[in-house]
Amino acid sequence: MQPVYMDHGATTPVHPEVVKAMVETMEKSFGNPSSVHAFGREARKLLDEARASVASLMGASPEQIIFTSGGTEADNMAIFGAARGMRLKGKGNHIITSAVEHHAVLDACKALEKEGFEVTILPVDEDGQVHVEELEKALRDDTVLVTIMHANNEVGTIQPIQELARLAKARGAVFHTDAVQSFGKIPVDVNELGVDLLSASAHKIYGPKGVGCLYIAKGVKLTPLSYGGSQERRRRPGTENLPGIVGFGKAALISQAEMQAEAERLTRYRDRLIDGLMELPHVKLNGHRTNRLPQNVNLSFHFIEGESLLLMLDMKGIAASSGSACTSGSLDPSHVLLAMGLSHEIAHGSLRLTLGRGNSEEDVDYILNTIPEIVERLRALSPLYEGKEAVTSCTQRR
Amino acid sequence: MQPVYMDHGATTPVHPEVVKAMVETMEKSFGNPSSVHAFGREARKLLDEARASVASLMGASPEQIIFTSGGTEADNMAIFGAARGMRLKGKGNHIITSAVEHHAVLDACKALEKEGFEVTILPVDEDGQVHVEELEKALRDDTVLVTIMHANNEVGTIQPIQELARLAKARGAVFHTDAVQSFGKIPVDVNELGVDLLSASAHKIYGPKGVGCLYIAKGVKLTPLSYGGSQERRRRPGTENLPGIVGFGKAALISQAEMQAEAERLTRYRDRLIDGLMELPHVKLNGHRTNRLPQNVNLSFHFIEGESLLLMLDMKGIAASSGSACTSGSLDPSHVLLAMGLSHEIAHGSLRLTLGRGNSEEDVDYILNTIPEIVERLRALSPLYEGKEAVTSCTQRR
Amino acid sequence: MYTEKVMEHFANPRNVGEIEEASGVGEVGNASCGDIMRISIQVEDNIIKDIKFKTFGCGAAIATSSVCTELVKGKSIDEALELTNQAVADALGGLPPAKMHCSNLAAEALHEAIADYKAKQGKE
Ligand SMILES: Cc1ncc(COP(=O)(O)O)c(C=O)c1O
Ligand SMILES: Cc1ncc(COP(=O)(O)O)c(C=O)c1O
Ligand code: FES
Ligand code: FES
């Protein structure tokens, strides 16, 4: 049994070319980019090149890119940095975010509440979409920061960032977007989007884990998250993760070349999966049907619990994920699915398949063949499932 | 001309076995350790193994090790985390550190001053050593944190951590030590040292850049530096840098096996370099003559500026570093050398050679043969040097 | 970091030394980084016949000193006075931004040497 990896939203395999670039860097250019000598200068050159590659994939200039240890650090740096910085300037202490953000954003905002900030959390509709009018209502004169993700990691819904950013900036707020899931998958252009701050992460685009970046528009001031050496224009101290950064640069170059064709291919697979699995009874699609990431499929199978589903799939060699509480360490099911109006029960039975470079048409066939029997088996186990006939409502039982 | 790398204090070449382990991880175990499926479980296993290896090299248990993006993040996490955490508990707001700390420590303490903490900076003697009596005098009832490095990165002087930690803890303060330069080079045992918090970094011990760790003794509470997923026992969010962490684990294993023999070998080279170069006129050793890291040589060549010296050495294929302002991006020369009582001028002319695994007896010979002529050439250029006879005082001119 | 031109002057600095019985000597210290430069000139018929320097400073400081002496040797005092630190940096193909201040040393030392020469002239 050849395993089928369909959890590219969690992390991606590292591209062989990326591994090669990283190995070369470690073997030949191990110097510290801050050093004066030849080893240092060689390292500095690679650092500059990688910065240019990453910048190019988002239409930024190299000096606007600050490398971080990942998407989480980029989000925290943006949110703490902008909020604290704006407050120091006396601009206010109100922050706006959405109910479907990644925990790196939501929990950073919550921590700011303890520092005296006020946080408004915008609701989403049943497709997981933030409405521009909601932001309009929430904006205040003392709003210093609006942070809304580009594409959702669980359900793939894409937000209208361009309009949201325009609105926020017109009211004097800094606009940040978490583009960890969209960067390298769909076009992301900082100027078109009109954002001040944008987070990305290498390991979601076939680069290495432990590297990310924050785009910082000209003129945007951030209070640093940590202190030390003068690396990254004094915005982010610590010896640069050079092999990781080189890997990120390489991954960005490859994405740039392949993105369009890959998005089309994965959209086809995605739609086959959605259409095929929706033929089963009592299945609900989560997220917007079309305005979603090419690689994202998210379905709720009623009467089934997510972790059991994952384990069964795993036994068949299929790697997927779920918004189930049982898989997340927390006991509440996905805050994203709940915010979209799903009941706890339905949210518990969600399955996320995220496609990627290694997936083939055969993988899609295999999944379409495998899931029905697993769903049937688990439903047979479920006290909630009284036979297909008996079921009435499956969305509001609680 | 075979280049001679003697800047292991800045960063080290990655050990080939470490590269191999990282490549294997990227190729075979790319999963996200938080995932339920087989790919995730495999990644989790590697993460646990690496944690055990790193813990073992410092006599800690695995669950006391939190992986970070490097030494800088570990220092910041320890200092902000302990200081803010202790203040929240009403323990006070006084911090003690030393004048020769790395900027990651000093600047974090300075940032805490802006949050209302009071910081006492302990002086050092002319060898760069902190005296226990100084700490005794500085400790107060409201001292919440003492942070003093194990071994200095510039001059290699080793601090009496055991006594300092005992004293601080007896007065109810949390004790942190930055062991970035000593870990893997000389014995570092958290229990023997008696510290609460200890920082280390992989790229100083032939591991990859962008990975480090913080040891956190049982019962020590830290306010987190950033927020997000529930990785690293909720102390440090973000997808774990698995290949980097595996590399760190491998590097720790290798260090553990080779440390003693390597320390003896490098001590021999170090002493040959010190004794040989001290035969030149107007040279001063910086740091303690014997109570110093095996790999560290730091000398001041009077009448010479450090960057010029580095560039000349670079042209001869020798990679070294300096405490010169001209190399540091800041305009002041090394705060460490100034704290040890050196004048600006002498501090400017310092040269640091840091030995490591790749260095041989021949490298030492080459350096001993090369430096005298370079020093002579630069002195001939120097307006401060009026011929060996004419010189009177070379330590206090300014 | 540095251009080839900078490194070339650094590796082979021109006009190193001191002129005995110089017409004028200028010594300046760089307040920002603590580096020092001394330039001595020999002037005949208002022309800088000879010029020498000594510098305690970084690679940029040494290279700018060297190129500065080369730029003004054989020039008139008035031409020499027009030399700016930007011209010195340009002659080296540019300097890293953090190193622009180093080029002040050379121009200032030269101007001081000329001032010293003029002061001496005035006394005679
Ligand atoms: C939307 C989103 N934001 C942030 C992150 C965090 O990124 P990282 O794992 O690189 O810290 C992730 C992925 O886990 C994500 O999907
Ligand atoms: C003593 C000391 N502390 C902290 C650091 C920072 O470590 P890193 O470069 O891994 O952030 C270094 C090295 O640069 C160091 O020498
Ligand atoms: S029943 Fe086990 S965690 Fe949900
Ligand atoms: S003269 Fe000191 S930095 Fe150049």
Side-chain angles (χ1 to χ4, degrees), chain A residues 238-239, chain B residues 9 70-72 75 102 104 149 151 153 178 180-181 201 203-204:
Chain A
T239 303
Chain B
T72 297
D75 284 343
H102 189 270
M149 72 202 313
N153 44 314
D178 174 340
V180 167
Q181 289 287 340
S201 183
H203 74 99
K204 309 286 188 188

Side-chain angles (χ1 to χ4, degrees), chain B residues 44-244:
Chain B
R44 164 77 44 196
K45 200 175 121 244
L46 292 180
L47 183 62
D48 290 344
E49 285 170 10
R51 201 184 304 278
S53 304
V54 171
S56 156
L57 182 51
M58 59 174 80
S61 9
E63 75 277 6
Q64 296 174 317
I65 302 296
I66 297 300
F67 288 114
T68 68
S69 66
T72 297
E73 188 187 341
D75 284 343
N76 277 269
M77 188 185 282
I79 291 168
F80 282 106
R84 289 176 182 158
M86 290 288 275
R87 177 152 75 176
L88 276 181
K89 285 198 274 177
K91 303 277 185 176
N93 63 354
H94 179 234
I95 300 171
I96 300 174
T97 186
S98 91
V100 295
E101 300 298 312
H102 189 270
H103 278 294
V105 168
L106 274 182
D107 293 359
C109 290
K110 270 184 214 147
L112 281 170
E113 268 181 341
K114 292 209 191 120
E115 294 184 16
F117 284 88
E118 225 184 298
V119 179
T120 301
I121 299 181
L122 301 181
V124 294
D125 64 19
E126 74 268 18
D127 291 332
Q129 201 121 28
V130 174
H131 286 247
V132 177
E133 306 82 63
E134 295 289 346
L135 176 60
E136 201 148 18
K137 277 194 284 176
L139 277 165
R140 308 188 326 206
D141 288 343
D142 63 344
T143 306
V144 291
L145 171 68
V146 177
T147 170
I148 296 174
M149 72 202 313
H150 190 201
N152 185 269
N153 44 314
E154 293 190 31
V155 299
T157 300
I158 298 167
Q159 306 295 352
I161 295 302
Q162 205 173 14
E163 292 96 86
L164 296 169
R166 195 185 307 123
L167 203 58
K169 286 169 65 183
R171 292 291 293 272
V174 171
F175 193 92
H176 167 250
T177 193
D178 174 340
V180 167
Q181 289 287 340
S182 56
F183 183 63
K185 309 295 174 65
I186 58 174
V188 169
D189 184 296
V190 289
N191 297 309
E192 248 172 58
L193 293 175
V195 298
D196 294 311
L197 299 163
L198 181 143
S199 311
S201 183
H203 74 99
K204 309 286 188 188
I205 64 163
Y206 311 94
K209 293 177 179 56
V211 199
C213 73
L214 182 64
Y215 157 81
I216 308 178
K218 229 181 131 197
V220 176
K221 294 272 175 298
L222 302 180
T223 306
L225 208 52
S226 59
Y227 297 84
S230 51
Q231 293 90 348
E232 300 295 289
R233 320 183 124 231
R234 298 195 169 273
R235 289 184 184 267
R236 203 280 184 181
T239 303
E240 300 88 343
N241 175 357
L242 192 70

Side-chain angles (χ1 to χ4, degrees), chain A residues 70-72 75 102 149 153 178 180-181 201 203-204, chain B residues 238-239:
Chain A
T72 297
D75 284 342
H102 190 270
M149 70 201 316
N153 45 314
D178 174 339
V180 167
Q181 290 288 338
S201 183
H203 75 98
K204 310 285 190 190
Chain B
T239 303

Side-chain angles (χ1 to χ4, degrees), chain A residues 5 7 10-11 305-315 318-329 350-352, chain B residues 31-45:
Chain A
Y5 186 77
D7 199 12
T11 196
E305 196 280 329
E307 193 197 272
S308 315
L309 184 53
L310 291 195
L311 292 175
M312 288 268 187
L313 287 169
D314 185 50
M315 291 190 291
I318 298 169
S321 77
S322 162
S324 156
C326 309
T327 65
S328 68
S350 77
L351 173 72
R352 181 183 75 167
Chain B
N32 188 322
S34 300
S35 296
V36 169
H37 47 64
F39 297 85
R41 293 193 305 268
E42 164 74 14
R44 164 77 44 196
K45 200 175 121 244

